[in-house]
Amino acid sequence: MIHNPNNIRTAGKPLEASSKVMIMVHGRGGSARDILSLAEYIDDKDFAFIAPEAQGNTWYPHSFLRPLEENEPYLSSALEVLASLRARLQSDFNFKLPQIYWLGFSQGACLTLEFVARNATEYGGVFGLSGGLIGPPNLVRSYEGSLTNTPIFLGCSDIDPHIPKERVLESETVFRQMGANVTAKLYPNFPHSINEDELNVVNLLVAGAQ
Amino acid sequence: METLINGLHHVTTLAGDTQRNVDYYTDILGLRLVKKTVNFDAPDVYHLYYGNETGSPGTILTFFPYGGIPRGRKGVGQLTYTAFSAPTSSLRFWMDRLHERNIPYAGPYKRFSETYVRFEDFDGMGIELVFNDDDQRPGWDNGRIPAEFAVRGFHTVTLNEINPDKTVKLLTEVMQHTLVGEEEGRFRFKAGNGGPGNFVDVLHSPKDVHALQGAGSVHHVAFSTDTDETQLIIQHQLAEAGYHVTPVQDRNYFNSIYFREPGGILFEVATNPPGFAVDEPVAELGTALKLPPQYEPRRAKIEAELPEIVVK
């Protein structure tokens, strides 16, 4: 285990007192504190927010487009952090899976989307901002499970230097085949960052999923 | 056919409190702390290695103590029990010792005609002691447990699997193991000539829940290979068989490759050389904090942040 599963920060309502929780996963070079600052843009004030922090601020060392093994054992460790976080929310705070929401940015979005695909079930919502499923091009994806009733939003620039738009569209197709209600938006000429429209969509999906 | 896999090399587990971990494995089980270093990928966490006097492959149990992480849960897709080998004559000694230390144990039971007892460390790590007279490895006399009763190293690891077929295929077709016994859904495989330290049991567990990673859960199991060359051959064969095997990683005391077996358990293949005496003499193993070169410039900060350890 490389990433410390204890290294987490929280914001919003206390976990004990909230009916919904959003797991926020930061990008390469980011931190739990950074990503939690997005909490103030979520209109629904009933959320608890929880963010794990990567060892050295990086979930895995190489591009998410490289062969999976090149990012091991970091990638497995990062996925285990999300698994243990989810398990903790279920066992210690009694959240049901549809009360759990996921939001990731950049590397954190890739990690979150990959985790959700590998652990498909009904979640409250999944928001992958500037990210896509992990692995080399033409990887055969055989995820098990169903994402029926899970709203998923994929937002990315169409010229993102890190995230090819093809991967965003491929992820959209995979999630749709797994039964999710997918909204994907490619923003023309946007930088690698989170924009206002993306936050609006997240808020709409959160509100619609109530 | 060239021998690429010899048997078990080490088992690595997540732990809670650091000092309790040291006390348990050095005092209660009587292993030697053979190396005190940090997680090479996360230097704010210790990596503690316990083993026999020299930390021979097949005796090494290692831990990442993460402080107060929640406990894991035993289940499928996990190595649930790590069995150590001890002389038949030591059964009474060990039962008395566990009883005196208020450590609940189950057994003695019989499995494949050997007697064993089963218990857990304070984090819930599953341990067994298997009593046998086949083990020629020396025990370590640490001043608390006479060498004649001391554990010799690993005996067997138990892998819980919902669907064992693919794991069995990996063990037998790629990893040079052979089936040597079957008992109540438990399939025993040996590497090389077999014997304690070279056994893997695959336990068909269709009704188990899925395991959760946490304190007391095994993170990975490493198999031993003789040299860097044999490691590259097995790496190639694993890749050919469709496994996502990592590039070779330098762990200072061995070189490692990692991959996940079909049931979800993380496997490693580690070289036997150079071993633990590469950066401190055998007599002083485990006494100083050893850092890989890339962390030496940060030693003062790393030392200041790690909890103190006392080997009682």
Side-chain angles (χ1 to χ4, degrees):
Chain A
M1 196 93 163
I2 292 150
H3 305 285
N4 182 348
N6 263 357
N7 205 350
I8 45 178
R9 283 179 175 270
T10 56
K13 267 196 153 184
L15 288 162
E16 298 82 356
S18 60
S19 62
K20 288 175 244 184
V21 60
M22 190 179 286
I23 299 168
M24 294 183 147
V25 187
H26 69 77
R28 190 194 296 268
S31 67
R33 191 195 290 268
D34 295 344
I35 193 91
L36 282 178
S37 67
L38 287 178
E40 62 180 286
Y41 297 99
I42 304 296
D43 299 336
D44 187 335
K45 297 304 170 201
D46 202 28
F47 268 101
F49 300 92
I50 186 163
E53 185 149 294
Q55 170 65 29
N57 307 96
T58 303
W59 294 110
Y60 45 83
H62 304 295
S63 163
F64 78 122
L65 302 170
R66 302 295 307 156
L68 292 167
E69 55 271 27
E70 288 185 18
N71 277 316
E72 292 293 0
Y74 305 86
L75 176 58
S76 286
S77 173
L79 290 166
E80 275 166 15
V81 167
L82 298 191
S84 74
L85 199 54
R86 187 184 74 160
R88 220 163 153 177
L89 292 172
Q90 289 178 280
S91 63
D92 295 1
F93 299 99
N94 204 26
F95 285 104
K96 306 290 174 250
L97 290 165
Q99 295 174 304
I100 297 177
Y101 293 69
W102 301 86
L103 182 146
F105 170 65
S106 189
Q107 193 184 53
C110 299
L111 183 67
T112 301
L113 295 175
E114 187 66 30
F115 178 86
V116 165
R118 294 189 192 193
N119 298 273
T121 181
E122 183 187 341
Y123 295 113
V126 180
F127 313 115
L129 308 179
S130 302
L133 291 165
I134 295 174
N138 306 320
L139 182 70
V140 178
R141 299 188 180 274
S142 51
Y143 301 111
E144 289 172 21
S146 158
L147 288 162
T148 301
N149 296 329
T150 300
I152 294 187
F153 172 55
L154 305 171
C156 196
S157 163
D158 69 338
I159 53 150
D160 190 295
H162 306 289
I163 317 291
K165 67 178 177 190
E166 292 76 17
R167 181 56 58 91
V168 179
L169 298 173
E170 181 195 348
S171 306
E172 179 191 9
T173 306
V174 170
F175 285 130
R176 197 155 274 158
Q177 284 167 352
M178 294 176 78
N181 306 319
V182 191
T183 309
K185 285 184 113 171
L186 290 171
Y187 298 90
N189 284 315
F190 266 66
H192 182 72
S193 65
I194 298 171
N195 66 51
E196 199 181 332
D197 185 70
E198 290 178 316
L199 293 169
N200 286 338
V201 176
V202 170
N203 275 314
L204 283 171
L205 288 173
V206 165
Q210 279 179 324
Chain B
M1 185 174 62
E2 194 170 4
T3 301
L4 302 175
I5 300 284
N6 301 310
L8 299 171
H9 186 283
H10 67 265
V11 171
T12 294
T13 302
L14 307 183
D17 186 78
T18 311
Q19 185 61 47
R20 284 182 81 177
N21 185 261
V22 174
D23 292 346
Y24 197 95
Y25 289 96
T26 60
D27 181 34
I28 295 174
L29 266 198
L31 305 181
R32 184 177 192 196
L33 178 64
V34 290
K35 193 62 65 181
K36 189 164 65 174
T37 183
V38 293
N39 183 341
F40 284 12
D41 300 307
D44 57 339
V45 176
Y46 272 121
H47 195 177
L48 302 178
Y49 291 76
Y50 305 94
N52 68 2
E53 186 178 13
T54 56
S56 314
T59 75
I60 313 155
L61 182 63
T62 99
F63 288 90
F64 294 129
Y66 274 105
I69 53 166
R71 266 190 175 213
R73 178 178 76 190
K74 284 192 188 62
V76 287
Q78 191 187 33
L79 193 167
T80 49
Y81 284 92
T82 302
F84 289 88
S85 171
T88 305
S89 58
S90 69
L91 173 63
R92 175 48 52 193
F93 171 86
W94 279 105
M95 285 167 57
D96 288 346
R97 186 173 185 81
L98 295 171
H99 181 73
E100 282 161 17
R101 306 300 177 101
N102 289 317
I103 297 167
Y105 64 88
Y109 302 124
K110 282 253 183 204
R111 189 165 65 208
F112 295 118
S113 73
E114 290 171 330
T115 300
Y116 74 99
V117 295
R118 168 180 276 192
F119 49 102
E120 292 185 342
D121 80 1
F122 59 90
D123 285 320
M125 151 101 181
I127 303 169
E128 293 166 341
L129 293 178
V130 179
F131 299 93
N132 67 90
D133 289 322
D134 300 335
D135 202 330
Q136 304 306 313
R137 296 175 291 180
W140 186 56
D141 176 0
N142 65 352
R144 295 186 196 91
I145 295 174
E148 59 173 317
F149 296 148
V151 299
R152 297 330 201 209
F154 297 135
H155 184 281
T156 315
V157 293
T158 298
L159 315 180
N160 288 41
E161 304 282 1
I162 282 187
N163 175 3
D165 296 358
K166 287 180 181 169
T167 302
V168 166
K169 204 166 142 81
L170 166 68
L171 285 170
T172 55
E173 292 181 10
V174 189
M175 296 186 69
Q176 302 184 325
H177 281 65
T178 46
L179 182 70
V180 290
E182 183 192 342
E183 204 175 271
E184 295 168 16
R186 176 180 290 268
F187 300 85
R188 173 158 292 180
F189 298 86
K190 69 167 187 179
N193 296 325
N198 299 318
F199 292 126
V200 175
D201 284 1
V202 174
L203 186 63
H204 185 209
S205 317
K207 292 178 183 160
D208 273 11
V209 292
H210 268 277
L212 282 179
Q213 201 69 252
S217 61
V218 169
H219 189 257
H220 65 261
V221 54
F223 295 84
S224 109
T225 194
D226 285 328
T227 63
D228 290 340
E229 288 72 33
T230 53
Q231 184 174 56
L232 292 177
I233 298 171
I234 190 76
Q235 182 193 37
H236 178 73
Q237 293 185 0
L238 286 163
E240 289 276 295
Y243 289 92
H244 294 298
V245 56
T246 68
V248 175
Q249 307 196 25
D250 179 0
R251 298 306 187 196
N252 252 22
Y253 311 107
F254 40 86
N255 286 327
S256 298
I257 55 173
Y258 300 86
F259 61 101
R260 222 165 259 282
E261 61 87 28
I265 302 169
L266 189 62
F267 277 12
E268 173 182 345
V269 176
T271 56
N272 290 334
F276 294 98
V278 71
D279 59 2
E280 56 189 339
V282 169
E284 289 168 26
L285 285 180
T287 54
L289 177 68
K290 291 294 171 186
L291 297 178
Q294 68 268 32
Y295 294 138
E296 276 301 344
R298 289 159 62 187
R299 175 176 280 275
K301 185 168 180 290
I302 289 171
E303 279 185 340
E305 285 172 1
L306 289 169
E308 198 182 337
I309 290 178
V310 184
V311 179
K312 287 171 187 157

